[in-house]
Amino acid sequence: PVSQFSVGTDPNKTRLAKDISSLLDPNGTENFSDVTLVGAEGEREFRCHKIVLHRLPVLRQLIKESSAGAGDDGALRLKLDGVPDHLLEHVVKWLYGQPLSAELSLSVLVQLATVAKRQLGSAQLQQACESTFGMGLNCVSVCQRLEDLASFDAGEHGRQKAAGDDVDLSHLQLTAADLSGFYERCFTLIARNWDLLKKDRQPELRSLEALARKHSPRVAALLKGDTRAAAEAKQRDAQA
């Protein structure tokens, strides 16, 4: 008989992912937790499971080091000093297999990606933040989003706040390397939709020329009208 599942889909894995996600009881009751995660400010905490937290080597090591101080029931309480309370919920939900919300603001995604990179050593979570950002990009918003990213970039001497956002990220001292995945998604969209954008967004694109020279040789070449250089840059990107 013909399978009802698409090629490459394992129904057992899908069910397992849902089961793991359901373990994250928002009320923190009857979920058989054996470790409590606490944010940097100490006001948010989540009852979790060691076997799930083992996904991150940093947490795995922390659990190993803290096991000696566990209670009589073996439960641990771990304080993550590098993870602010307002980001801890997103980290925990992601660990339990829940996708990042498409409603998260750019400043939250940038903060979360930075925590993933610097504190948790998780390239996967960092990439999830960048991918979520990329899914919300379009030809209308991309130029503004690049300006917002530049405002977070300490190397650009920006205002450290995105337009319409009151969150100040200057304490993070973000660099171009921290934001490279976000920049890449913006410039990729511009390159793919160049013919449309150069007609409708020419003044905005011109204002980003200096940024393009730093982060996207392909878009910088397109802005100069050098189609040959743009094609060569595209080929290099494809081979990378």
Side-chain angles (χ1 to χ4, degrees):
V2 178
S3 172
Q4 61 176 316
F5 300 101
S6 61
V7 175
T9 299
D10 184 338
N12 291 322
K13 288 184 178 180
T14 302
R15 176 62 183 273
L16 178 61
K18 290 181 179 179
D19 288 345
I20 291 175
S21 182
S22 70
L23 286 173
L24 189 59
D25 179 1
N27 298 315
T29 59
E30 299 181 357
N31 68 345
F32 306 101
S33 65
D34 52 8
V35 57
T36 299
L37 287 186
V38 185
E41 293 85 0
E43 296 179 2
R44 295 293 307 274
E45 60 181 52
F46 293 87
R47 295 180 66 177
C48 303
H49 307 80
K50 296 174 186 175
I51 195 169
V52 176
L53 301 189
H54 268 230
R55 290 184 61 190
L56 289 184
V58 168
L59 295 182
R60 189 186 312 149
Q61 183 62 30
L62 188 58
I63 289 170
K64 186 176 180 181
E65 293 172 352
S66 305
S67 292
D72 294 337
D73 58 356
L76 291 176
R77 185 178 179 84
L78 303 179
K79 190 168 187 291
L80 304 181
D81 292 324
V83 183
D85 282 7
H86 72 283
L87 298 181
L88 182 60
E89 178 178 2
H90 305 304
V91 172
V92 171
K93 285 183 175 180
W94 178 81
L95 281 169
Y96 278 78
Q98 298 181 23
L100 298 177
S101 170
E103 302 300 318
L104 292 179
S105 68
L106 175 58
S107 62
V108 169
L109 288 171
V110 168
Q111 290 175 80
L112 191 56
T114 304
V115 164
K117 176 183 178 181
R118 298 180 183 178
Q119 307 297 329
L120 300 176
S122 175
Q124 285 184 306
L125 177 53
Q126 182 183 357
Q127 290 165 6
C129 294
E130 295 163 355
S131 295
T132 301
F133 165 73
M135 288 188 291
L137 279 177
N138 55 55
C139 291
V140 175
S141 66
V142 64
C143 292
Q144 181 61 59
R145 283 293 177 243
L146 275 169
E147 291 184 4
D148 291 338
L149 288 170
S151 76
F152 294 146
D153 190 339
E156 298 294 333
H157 306 292
R159 59 190 183 282
Q160 304 297 310
K161 294 182 181 181
D165 195 332
D166 293 330
V167 180
D168 187 340
L169 302 187
S170 57
H171 64 287
L172 294 177
Q173 285 298 293
L174 296 168
T175 66
D178 295 318
L179 299 167
S180 61
F182 294 93
Y183 278 132
E184 179 184 354
R185 280 159 177 78
C186 288
F187 284 116
T188 296
L189 185 145
I190 289 174
R192 288 176 177 171
N193 297 275
W194 178 252
D195 290 338
L196 174 64
L197 286 166
K198 73 176 180 180
K199 179 175 65 175
D200 296 339
R201 303 279 168 179
Q202 188 67 233
E204 294 170 83
L205 289 173
R206 287 294 172 192
S207 69
L208 298 169
E209 193 166 355
L211 205 59
R213 286 198 298 271
K214 289 184 179 181
H215 302 286
S216 177
R218 182 181 174 189
V219 172
L222 288 169
L223 284 167
K224 288 176 62 178
D226 190 340
T227 54
R228 180 177 178 180
E232 291 174 350
K234 179 181 179 180
Q235 186 175 11
R236 287 196 298 272
D237 289 344
Q239 293 172 346

